[in-house]
Amino acid sequence: VGFLGIKSPTITPGYWNDSNRTLKSYKQGYWISGDLAYYDQENKFFHVDRAVDAIKCASGLVNTLPIEELILKNNSAVADCTIIGVPKEKGFDGLVAFIKLKAPGNIIASALITAINKQLVDNKFEPLSFLQIVSNLPVGSTGKVLKRKLREQYQDILICAEHNLEGKGLHDFAYAQQNKVPVRS
């Protein structure tokens, strides 16, 4: 897996009013898109994540797109999901999932995180540390989930010991059993 570089006569001339970012995006004549990809022996390219969305976990670099695809493929009750990394311990992040259900109220977060973590481990993926069932995900004008907003809002969800999550508007959530954070008194 590496950065996707594109060379073509139709590449963008650059970022609007940001010549510094434009200059940094070109390497050896290639436009570096910010996407992570790989190609196989048949020269087929596979997109695995945006570079800004890859998560540095204790087990190594984790790409979120394959995990999101696995969750959607193997859990018929899930309408949409997104994964972000949130600081957990010693410079590493934990995986936090935001799940939108097809029929809210049918499944609880603790049952869902247990099922999903079994699927992830069985497929040699990093397990989730936290799962939140949501009614909506923040999206931009193109309909893409704004992971940046989720990272800002939940930056302390795994390291903050004084969780008053219901007070923050979180009601149906679950920590993975091995990642529960003790509450200070």
Side-chain angles (χ1 to χ4, degrees):
V1 174
F3 285 100
L4 178 64
I6 303 164
K7 188 183 276 190
S8 167
T10 60
I11 296 296
T12 178
Y15 291 97
W16 180 256
N17 287 334
D18 195 344
S19 58
N20 191 33
R21 186 172 176 197
T22 297
L23 184 63
K24 288 180 179 180
S25 295
Y26 279 97
K27 303 285 186 224
Q28 299 176 352
Y30 286 88
W31 172 258
I32 307 302
S33 67
D35 293 297
L36 297 174
Y38 71 93
Y39 65 94
D40 66 11
Q41 294 175 344
E42 298 173 8
N43 288 327
K44 291 181 183 175
F45 280 82
F46 297 87
H47 178 256
V48 295
D49 219 338
R50 294 282 299 154
V52 296
D53 294 334
I55 302 168
K56 184 180 174 188
C57 294
S59 64
L61 196 63
V62 174
N63 297 306
T64 60
L65 191 57
I67 293 173
E68 293 162 354
E69 289 173 349
L70 184 132
I71 291 170
L72 290 168
K73 178 181 172 188
N74 293 310
N75 298 280
S76 61
V78 176
D80 199 2
C81 71
T82 196
I83 306 291
I84 63 168
V86 174
K88 183 178 173 186
E89 58 186 79
K90 300 176 188 164
F92 297 111
D93 289 349
L95 302 183
V96 174
F98 296 91
I99 305 286
K100 181 178 177 183
L101 298 173
K102 290 178 182 172
N106 291 346
I107 296 176
I108 60 171
S110 59
L112 193 54
I113 196 171
T114 300
I116 288 173
N117 275 348
K118 180 175 181 347
Q119 296 162 5
L120 292 172
V121 169
D122 289 349
N123 285 277
K124 300 184 179 12
F125 285 116
E126 179 85 12
L128 302 174
S129 296
F130 182 84
L131 182 143
Q132 167 70 39
I133 294 177
V134 297
S135 56
N136 290 301
L137 293 166
V139 295
S141 59
T142 63
K144 184 175 182 266
V145 174
L146 299 175
K147 290 186 178 190
R148 158 184 47 83
K149 283 194 171 193
L150 290 170
R151 283 190 289 265
E152 290 168 5
Q153 186 174 356
Y154 296 99
Q155 63 186 336
D156 65 349
I157 201 96
L158 297 179
I159 57 173
C160 179
E162 296 175 3
H163 291 296
N164 177 11
L165 299 180
E166 290 197 15
K168 292 181 180 181
L170 300 185
H171 302 288
D172 196 4
F173 60 88
Y175 286 95
Q177 287 296 336
Q178 70 274 17
N179 296 319
K180 285 190 178 176
V181 178
V183 177
R184 287 189 214 153
S185 51

